Structures are given as structure tokens and as C-alpha cells.
Amino acid sequence: MQEGLSIIAKLRPYIETSWLIQPFLTSRIALLAVIYSVWTNKIMKHTSYDAFHVLWTKPYMVNGKNFCMNDAELLTMVLSALMWQKYNGTIKLYTDNRGYEFIREHGLLSLWDKGIDKDVLENNTYPIDPEIFWAAGKLLALENQKGSCVMLDTDLIVVRSIHEKLEQTVITALHSELLEPDVYLQPCLLKQPLDFQFPESYNWTVAPSNTSFLFIRDENFKNFYLKESKQFMFNNYEKPKELVSQMVFAEQRMLSICADYSGLPVSYLITDPFSVSNRDVIHLWGFKSLLRENKKIQILYVKQLLNTVGKELSANSFFLHFLKIHFPNQLINQLTN
């Protein structure tokens, strides 16, 4: 009912200035409201993008650690899902049994409008070391997706519609990365499975792509990318000196290498992750470590997020219920006043 009144309110100024016969006014407004509604729904169906989050707890629980998220991380994940639904489409969650229990304990089972899948990650038997390849759960989930989709990190919020940016692209990642030699190692320094060799066709000069956001339209490319990545990760158990280089190669550098080989351009949502001109996304990225170490900074971040992105969801009943359970009343007051 409210949506119908909103549509009529938008149309009334245009109709009242052009139609002079009052008895027919109401029926004509109603007719145009229906036409407008159908047209809007058609456009939304055309531009809606299916996204997914991944909450793979297995890497966190290596060496007996317990999985947890602080308030800032939890709020960011909730806003990530809700803002995607508001502006860009649907979203689902891939998790495992421990992740599902965490979500249930925090009252978030209905956050993802496309539901929750815990079978893909819980029952997967691929020979992948979760400590070395801590983001492999994202690739397992991507493998299960059919058709074009968006892989969206739980610490990344897309704050506006990006339909126009995606509709003309085949591959879109968050941003390109510099080939930092301490992060993106030379092939001779990467740990490899037994009897594995890098193909001569790999172009090691292409810039890696940050996959905190990843849109792939082409199913054949997606399958090729995942095949190459899995060949590197499977049975690759030798521990590196650090736990970054192996994963970022398998996920981020591999994406660009496969795109280059396939002759497909990689587009990016933003050009510079550190630029103040970025208006499309909020990404916790390495800031997570600081939030985990400093409670005061965590509180400031939560307040700022509520006062900016949170205000866009001030009429969202799920979000208001979430705030009531997890955050102090003064923060809710800041949001709703």
C-alpha cells in the first residue's frame, strides 16, 4: 500500500497539470501506477545481480582456535548484505556447520534473502590446506554458483547501485594490485604440488586483481579460472614462510593471468583503494587487524558506520532488530534521530 501511494505521489504532479477532467483523474493515476510498477519491476529484474558471501570457519579453527567476529566485523557483514539487497540484487551465504551456528546464535539466519548453504563447504573433500589457502572457501562457493554472479567479501559494503558499471563487463574485480615482490612472489619462490609445473602460457607481468569483489559473467571463463587455481592448491601442503603469498596467487594473480590468456579484459570498481574520491564501496581490508587490537577505534568505526550507511537502513525492520539486540541504545538513537 505504501509503495502504491509513493508511486502515485511521484506521478500526480505530471498528471494533474495535463489532465483537466477531474472525474477521470483517480482512475488514470491508478492505471499509470500499475504501468509504472510493472515497468520498474521489469527493469529491476533485468539489472539484478546474484551475489554471495562466504563464512568459512575452518581456517580460523586451525590449531584449536575458536571462530569469532567483533562488533565492527559483524556490523559490516550485516550492512554488506542489506545494502547489496537495497541497491543491486540478491545475496546468499555459504558457510559450514560452525559458521551456521555462529549466524544462528546472533539471530542472522534471515539476513541473506537467497538463503544459506552449509553443504558445499562442510562436505567438501578437496585436498586443500585451509591454513595455507585460507580463502579457498570463496572459490569453492564460486564453483557451486551457476551463471553470472558476484563474489562479495563480508568486510566490503557496496553503498550504491553499480548496475551500469557491471552491465558492459565480463569480469569486474575491486581494483588492480601492484606486483609487490614480497606479496606476489616470483614463480620459482612459490610452493608447488609434486609433479606440478606452471604453464609456459602464463603472463607473469599482468597486474593481480583484488577479489574482495568479483563479478564474472562468462561461465566458461569461471570454470577455466577455477580449474587452474585448483591445480595449484590441490595437494600443495608445504608451508611458506608467511601465509599470504600462496593464497593471493591462487585467487588474485591467477584471475588476471587467466583473463590475459583468455583475451578478456578485467574491469575494476575503483581505481585507487586509498583515494578519498571513492564513493562506491567501504572496505575494511587490513583495517580489521587494527579494529581487533583497539576497542576505542572499533567503537568509533561502528558509530561512524551507523551515522552514514546505517541511516540508509533506518526503516529496515531486520536492521533495527539487529541493532536492538547487538548494540547499545545510544547508537540506535543516533541512527533514528
Side-chain angles (χ1 to χ4, degrees):
M1 181 63 181
Q2 187 64 38
E3 182 180 357
L5 292 174
S6 176
I7 293 171
I8 291 175
K10 290 179 181 178
L11 293 172
R12 187 180 293 277
Y14 302 99
I15 298 169
E16 289 181 342
T17 56
S18 59
W19 287 345
L20 302 177
I21 305 175
Q22 187 64 31
F24 299 104
L25 183 58
T26 303
S27 61
R28 290 183 180 184
I29 292 176
L31 176 61
L32 281 182
V34 171
I35 294 171
Y36 179 86
S37 180
V38 171
W39 175 78
T40 302
N41 288 335
K42 184 177 180 181
I43 294 297
M44 284 303 296
K45 287 179 182 178
H46 177 68
T47 58
S48 178
Y49 291 95
D50 293 333
F52 64 90
H53 276 162
V54 173
L55 194 63
W56 192 34
T57 67
K58 198 171 182 179
Y60 296 89
M61 301 177 73
V62 174
N63 302 321
K65 296 179 182 178
N66 188 36
F67 173 78
C68 64
M69 296 176 79
N70 60 43
D71 287 345
E73 292 171 302
L74 195 65
L75 176 62
T76 303
M77 180 177 69
V78 170
L79 289 174
S80 176
L82 293 179
M83 291 294 281
W84 184 262
Q85 291 171 63
K86 178 175 181 176
Y87 286 114
N88 292 295
T90 64
I91 188 167
K92 73 183 295 183
L93 172 70
Y94 287 90
T95 189
D96 45 31
N97 287 344
R98 175 65 191 101
Y100 185 87
E101 284 305 306
F102 177 86
I103 293 301
R104 184 187 61 78
E105 290 164 3
H106 287 80
L108 300 178
L109 290 179
S110 59
L111 172 60
W112 295 270
D113 60 339
K114 292 288 282 187
I116 299 175
D117 183 306
K118 59 179 180 177
D119 294 329
V120 168
L121 297 183
E122 185 64 34
N123 299 326
N124 187 273
T125 57
Y126 284 160
I128 297 176
D129 187 316
E131 185 177 22
I132 299 173
F133 298 105
W134 35 267
K138 293 167 56 181
L139 302 182
L140 301 181
L142 179 61
E143 183 178 45
N144 190 68
Q145 289 285 122
K146 305 302 178 188
S148 61
C149 63
V150 169
M151 185 169 75
L152 183 65
D153 276 11
T154 59
D155 70 340
L156 188 140
I157 307 169
V158 180
V159 298
R160 64 185 67 225
S161 169
I162 55 171
H163 297 147
E164 292 184 1
K165 289 192 173 185
L166 298 185
E167 62 186 9
Q168 300 299 326
T169 69
V170 178
I171 307 166
T172 301
L174 184 59
H175 58 78
S176 63
E177 301 243 324
L178 296 175
L179 274 172
E180 297 287 356
D182 293 336
V183 178
Y184 293 101
L185 305 183
Q186 293 296 317
C188 61
L189 299 177
L190 289 167
K191 308 299 182 184
Q192 303 170 36
L194 291 175
D195 302 321
F196 174 89
Q197 288 186 333
F198 291 114
E200 294 183 2
S201 58
Y202 278 12
N203 180 359
W204 294 92
T205 66
V206 293
S209 300
N210 188 292
T211 52
S212 298
F213 177 98
L214 178 61
F215 168 68
I216 297 180
R217 188 183 301 277
D218 188 296
E219 185 86 7
N220 290 330
F221 171 76
K222 183 194 80 172
N223 293 334
F224 171 58
Y225 161 53
L226 292 174
K227 177 179 70 70
E228 296 296 300
S229 182
K230 288 187 294 184
Q231 286 179 348
F232 176 74
M233 292 190 295
F234 282 5
N235 299 304
N236 194 346
Y237 296 124
E238 185 179 354
K239 303 288 185 188
K241 293 181 179 179
E242 35 62 48
L243 292 173
V244 175
S245 58
Q246 295 287 98
M247 187 68 250
V248 295
F249 170 75
E251 183 184 12
Q252 301 194 149
R253 195 173 191 179
M254 184 69 82
L255 176 76
S256 295
I257 287 175
C258 289
D260 177 80
Y261 177 84
S262 302
L264 296 174
V266 179
S267 302
Y268 299 106
L269 276 189
I270 58 178
T271 55
D272 181 359
F274 304 107
S275 173
V276 294
S277 64
N278 166 38
R279 295 291 183 269
D280 291 330
V281 301
I282 296 171
H283 189 200
L284 274 183
W285 200 43
F287 192 51
K288 286 196 294 281
S289 299
L290 183 59
L291 291 174
R292 290 167 183 167
E293 296 168 358
N294 193 313
K295 185 68 174 179
K296 290 183 178 179
I297 294 179
Q298 185 185 145
I299 292 172
L300 288 174
Y301 169 82
V302 167
K303 287 183 176 180
Q304 182 65 17
L305 207 52
L306 288 175
N307 283 327
T308 52
V309 181
K311 284 186 178 295
E312 293 202 42
L313 298 168
S314 60
N316 185 295
S317 59
F318 180 94
F319 186 56
L320 293 178
H321 180 69
F322 165 78
L323 291 181
K324 185 177 180 180
I325 294 175
H326 294 284
F327 291 93
N329 288 331
Q330 61 265 30
L331 292 182
I332 300 176
N333 292 334
Q334 288 178 6
L335 176 65
T336 55
N337 288 340

